């Protein structure tokens, strides 16, 4: 057994920041900010300067146009650096054994991974241990972000805001999956990819040596267990690149009446337009928004409230857009939930609430 162990570490952190709001014209204002961060621990992360510039322009009293650019810096979480290690067990496809056709002295003949995965009784499909521990060689995550949009006061008590955002991150800390490690072990050892095309990394390349180091196989010549996967080290690494863009919108309306009380409507909408990433510098940049993405592409949140004298009623709903199913064969339908709350203040000291959740 491998437990999570006693994880401990030390880090000293210092930071200083400054912000300025600078009126340029009566209708134009600049927001300027700068920040310095210093990290002192066992990693190579040292210090970083980040900055932000934003502009606000009011061509009319009820219309605000805004835009901003900012850089970001984030040191790896202490758990990702100092964790002593934890283990779990899961069923894997021994892809090298599957595609080579050699497993535990049995000659099954070369097959595709899909064929080995489809057969639940395949000899190359079995459980193995996955281990993960902290990586003190992790670098800091750096990024850039852009945003622009507007806020429009349509009328008294009614407003609309729409903003576009784009965030680019480099060297984000992420975990290698067992499927990725096993696929590339087979590519390195066989010299070809799943589709039969030549693999760009040689068997003795630094990349392949790193992949081999993450895999432990049983060394027991002459026994039935020789060559069996004994463990995988699904290590944390710095992801090469990730970029996400989208739009956020919000609509608010309030109305007060003499006879029917106060009504309030609040609607929020966000949608991801792109979700691009690659794990290594030489990988192809893939947009996962419409591909194998398990996160909803859009989200709608809304509330409708009413208050009158001692009564308060609020209906709140959330709609999560379509996302990929676990089998990666199609997309799930949007998921919608509602909450309802009714409250009455009987006396200054007594209030009763009735709530329905989801």
């Amino acid at each position: 057994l491998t437990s999570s162990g006693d994880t401990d570490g030390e880090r000293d952190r210092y930071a200083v920041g400054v912000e300025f709001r600078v009126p340029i014209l009566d209708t134009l204002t600049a927001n300027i900010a700068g920040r310095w961060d210093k990290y002192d621990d066992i990693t190579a992360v040292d210090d970083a300067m980040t900055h932000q510039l934003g502009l606000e322009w009011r061509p009319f009293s009820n219309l605000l146009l805004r835009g901003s650019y900012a850089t970001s810096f984030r040191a790896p979480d202490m758990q990702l650096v100092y964790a002593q290690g934890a283990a779990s067990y899961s069923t894997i496809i021994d892809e090298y054994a599957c595609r080579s056709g050699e497993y535990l002295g049995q000659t099954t003949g070369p097959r595709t991974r899909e064929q080995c995965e489809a057969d639940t009784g395949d000899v190359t499909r079995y459980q193995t241990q996955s281990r993960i521990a902290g990586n003190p060689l992790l670098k800091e995550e750096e990024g850039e972000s852009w945003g622009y949009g507007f806020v429009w006061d349509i009328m008294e008590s009614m407003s609309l805001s729409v903003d576009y955002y784009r965030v680019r991150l480099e060297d984000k800390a992420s975990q290698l999956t067992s499927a990725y490690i096993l696929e590339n072990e087979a590519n390195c050892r066989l010299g070809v990819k799943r589709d039969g095309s030549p693999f760009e990394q040689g068997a003795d390349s630094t990349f392949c040596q790193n992949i081999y180091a993450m895999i432990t196989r049983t060394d027991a010549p002459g026994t039935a267990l020789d060559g069996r996967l004994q463990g995988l080290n699904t290590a944390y690494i710095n992801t090469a690149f990730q970029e996400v863009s989208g739009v956020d919108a919000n609509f608010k309306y309030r109305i007060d009446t003499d006879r029917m009380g106060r009504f309030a409507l609040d609607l929020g909408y966000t949608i991801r337009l792109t979700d691009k990433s690659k794990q290594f510098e030489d990988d192809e940049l893939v947009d996962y928004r419409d591909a194998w993405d398990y996160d909803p592409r859009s989200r709608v949140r809304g509330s409708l409230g009413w208050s009158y004298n001692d009564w308060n009623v609020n209906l709140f709903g959330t709609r999560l857009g379509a996302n990929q199913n676990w089998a990666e064969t199609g997309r799930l339908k949007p998921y919608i939930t509602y909450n309802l709350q009714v409250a009455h203040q009987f006396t200054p000291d007594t209030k009763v609430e009735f709530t329905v959740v989801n």
Side-chain angles (χ1 to χ4, degrees):
L1 298 179
T2 301
S3 72
S4 58
D6 181 16
T7 298
D8 60 83
E10 294 183 1
R11 169 182 286 169
D12 291 326
R13 179 185 178 190
Y14 312 90
V16 60
V18 60
E19 298 183 23
F20 297 97
R21 184 171 176 85
V22 184
I24 302 173
L25 302 171
D26 290 341
T27 59
L28 181 64
T29 302
N31 297 294
I32 305 172
R35 181 183 174 96
W36 174 77
D37 287 90
K38 168 71 175 179
Y39 288 82
D40 186 6
D41 57 15
I42 64 172
T43 69
V45 179
D46 188 17
D47 60 358
M49 283 290 301
T50 52
H51 56 272
Q52 178 180 353
L53 172 63
L55 292 175
E56 298 179 356
W57 180 42
R58 286 190 178 274
F60 308 103
S61 61
N62 65 336
L63 179 63
L64 170 66
L65 304 180
R66 58 190 178 188
S68 66
Y69 167 77
T71 60
S72 64
F73 162 84
R74 178 181 178 183
D77 293 345
M78 293 184 70
Q79 178 72 12
L80 306 188
V81 175
Y82 290 104
Q84 294 298 306
S88 61
Y89 286 85
S90 60
T91 300
I92 52 89
I93 301 294
D94 188 343
E95 189 156 337
Y96 171 66
C98 171
R99 288 164 54 185
S100 67
E102 297 289 337
Y103 176 72
L104 303 185
Q106 305 179 43
T107 302
T108 58
R111 290 159 296 161
T112 66
R113 187 186 188 282
E114 289 72 18
Q115 290 174 322
C116 294
E117 187 175 22
D119 183 3
T120 57
D122 192 278
V123 294
T124 64
R125 182 189 182 110
Y126 54 88
Q127 281 201 350
T128 191
Q129 185 191 68
S130 293
R131 298 183 301 274
I132 187 168
N135 180 6
L137 300 179
L138 285 174
K139 299 186 296 183
E140 63 270 23
E141 170 191 301
E142 297 180 310
E144 295 178 292
S145 60
W146 298 261
Y148 51 84
F150 68 87
V151 181
W152 179 25
D153 294 328
I154 304 172
M155 56 183 293
E156 186 178 358
S157 301
M158 180 186 293
S159 65
L160 172 68
S161 67
V162 179
D163 289 283
Y164 168 82
Y165 66 87
R166 182 158 66 100
V167 180
R168 300 178 61 181
L169 299 176
E170 295 183 358
D171 292 326
K172 180 180 178 182
S174 63
Q175 183 182 2
L176 288 176
T177 65
S178 59
Y180 179 89
I181 296 173
L182 293 174
E183 176 186 354
N184 282 283
E185 183 210 18
N187 293 342
C188 287
R189 295 187 185 278
L190 299 174
V192 294
K193 300 179 181 179
R194 290 175 176 175
D195 59 4
S197 61
F199 187 50
E200 56 272 10
Q201 302 286 350
D204 296 329
S205 66
T206 301
F207 174 85
C208 288
Q209 294 301 316
N210 287 332
I211 290 293
Y212 299 153
M214 297 177 183
I215 297 174
T216 303
R217 290 185 178 271
T218 302
D219 183 14
T223 71
L225 295 178
D226 187 37
R228 182 184 175 93
L229 278 171
Q230 187 176 6
L232 297 172
N233 180 16
T234 53
Y236 289 105
I237 64 166
N238 288 105
T239 301
F241 182 83
Q242 182 180 21
E243 179 181 274
V244 179
S245 66
V247 174
D248 291 328
N250 186 259
F251 176 79
K252 295 182 179 180
Y253 181 52
R254 305 287 186 271
I255 182 172
D256 291 300
T257 66
D258 295 332
R259 297 183 177 181
M260 301 180 63
R262 186 174 189 265
F263 295 87
L265 175 65
D266 196 330
L267 296 176
Y269 174 74
T270 183
I271 183 169
R272 283 183 299 128
L273 302 177
T274 60
D275 191 351
K276 303 176 182 178
S277 65
K278 59 180 180 179
Q279 198 152 38
F280 294 99
E281 187 65 33
D282 296 333
D283 290 349
E284 179 185 0
L285 184 62
V286 179
D287 189 347
Y288 291 95
R289 177 191 182 269
D290 297 317
W292 310 121
D293 192 347
Y294 298 106
D295 294 322
R297 293 177 294 189
S298 64
R299 181 191 300 266
V300 179
R301 295 165 59 89
S303 65
L304 179 61
W306 170 73
S307 59
Y308 182 68
N309 293 335
D310 297 326
W311 286 95
N312 284 278
V313 179
N314 189 73
L315 176 65
F316 174 79
T318 300
R319 179 189 184 274
L320 300 180
N323 64 298
Q324 184 66 40
N325 65 16
W326 188 251
E328 298 185 350
T329 58
R331 303 196 70 85
L332 301 174
K333 295 180 179 180
Y335 183 70
I336 305 173
T337 58
Y338 296 95
N339 295 348
L340 174 66
Q341 184 179 62
V342 180
H344 182 65
Q345 190 81 38
F346 286 94
T347 70
D349 300 322
T350 307
K351 182 179 182 180
V352 176
E353 294 182 354
F354 173 77
T355 304
V356 179
V357 179
N358 292 343

